[in-house]
Amino acid sequence: MMRTIWLAVTPLTLAAASPAIAQSAQPNAMMLAQAQDRCMTTIAVRASRSSTDNEAIYDEAVKACQALQEQLASAVRSEYPPQQAEELLTMLDDQAKPNFLNMLQRIRADRAARGAQQ
């Protein structure tokens, strides 16, 4: 008898839980910023193996990560008040290239240090 009741309740429990599992949460601004940063970093690591042209590497990364950048801007605008969102986006845009170029220097320095150790 106990077994029959458990089996009868289980499908109802699973049915009630299914909508929560089936729904996927939209990524928030922080998640998108991290994804966009990883995208830019991946391009920097790969492209810096064969090129020393920082501007070309930056342009390649911007182009490759454009969709994430657009999603990030949209998320920031939806999560923050308008003035704060625009200030944040301006700050991110202003810091993007200098941060990227610094990252390229660190990548190359790390490669050189690992090469010298081998």
Side-chain angles (χ1 to χ4, degrees):
M1 187 81 163
M2 188 72 115
R3 185 178 223 169
T4 306
I5 293 172
W6 183 81
L7 292 174
V9 172
T10 302
L12 293 175
T13 305
L14 291 176
S18 294
I21 294 170
Q23 294 176 353
S24 63
Q26 292 294 325
N28 64 23
M30 182 62 75
M31 292 169 58
L32 288 164
Q34 291 171 344
Q36 199 264 349
D37 186 54
R38 281 191 306 272
C39 180
M40 297 287 282
T41 301
T42 300
I43 301 299
V45 169
R46 289 180 185 164
S48 65
R49 287 183 184 139
S50 59
S51 176
T52 58
D53 185 350
N54 291 349
E55 294 295 323
I57 295 171
Y58 179 74
D59 291 343
E60 179 182 344
V62 167
K63 183 177 179 183
C65 304
Q66 184 64 37
L68 284 169
Q69 179 63 33
E70 290 170 5
Q71 291 175 352
L72 172 59
S74 178
V76 167
R77 287 185 178 109
S78 70
E79 293 176 27
Y80 294 92
Q83 183 177 352
Q84 186 180 5
E86 294 310 314
E87 289 172 0
L88 180 57
L89 291 171
T90 299
M91 182 187 71
L92 290 173
D93 287 344
D94 290 347
Q95 294 176 358
K97 190 170 184 177
N99 288 342
F100 187 86
L101 297 177
N102 286 334
M103 179 179 53
L104 279 174
Q105 288 178 331
R106 288 191 311 268
I107 290 168
R108 289 185 177 121
D110 183 55
R111 271 197 196 120
R114 283 186 289 152
Q117 293 174 353
Q118 294 178 353

